[in-house]
Amino acid sequence: TEQHELDGLPKKIERLEQEQEQLQAKQASVEFYQQGQAEIQKTNDRTEALEKELAIVYARWELLEGRSA
């Protein structure tokens, strides 16, 4: 149900934001740019995907919140 989905969104957002923070910390380290280009690109791609996924999840949360109000 939508209520069940709405109830699970805060945990999903928290998990995605934690992963995003970890990747951003990794990208901020000096060692990050000393690794291979493939690994750098993989991390950058995942960071970009997380940003998009978070935007979608937040939009879904707003929609469901509006319906339950």
Side-chain angles (χ1 to χ4, degrees):
T1 66
E2 287 186 350
Q3 186 60 47
H4 181 71
E5 181 183 0
L6 181 61
D7 293 343
L9 287 177
K11 285 186 179 186
K12 183 174 184 173
I13 289 169
E14 181 179 354
R15 183 177 41 82
L16 293 171
E17 287 180 341
Q18 284 177 348
E19 183 181 355
Q20 185 179 46
E21 287 175 17
Q22 290 170 349
L23 289 176
Q24 288 170 344
K26 181 179 178 180
Q27 290 169 314
S29 73
V30 174
E31 297 84 21
F32 177 70
Y33 293 99
Q34 295 173 349
Q35 55 187 343
Q37 182 61 34
E39 188 62 30
I40 292 170
Q41 189 62 49
K42 179 181 169 185
T43 301
N44 291 343
D45 288 348
R46 181 61 184 150
T47 300
E48 187 176 317
L50 280 170
E51 289 173 11
K52 291 177 182 175
E53 189 172 354
L54 277 166
I56 291 168
V57 173
Y58 275 119
R60 182 68 177 157
W61 191 11
E62 287 179 26
L63 176 71
L64 293 175
E65 279 282 313
R67 288 183 184 174
S68 69

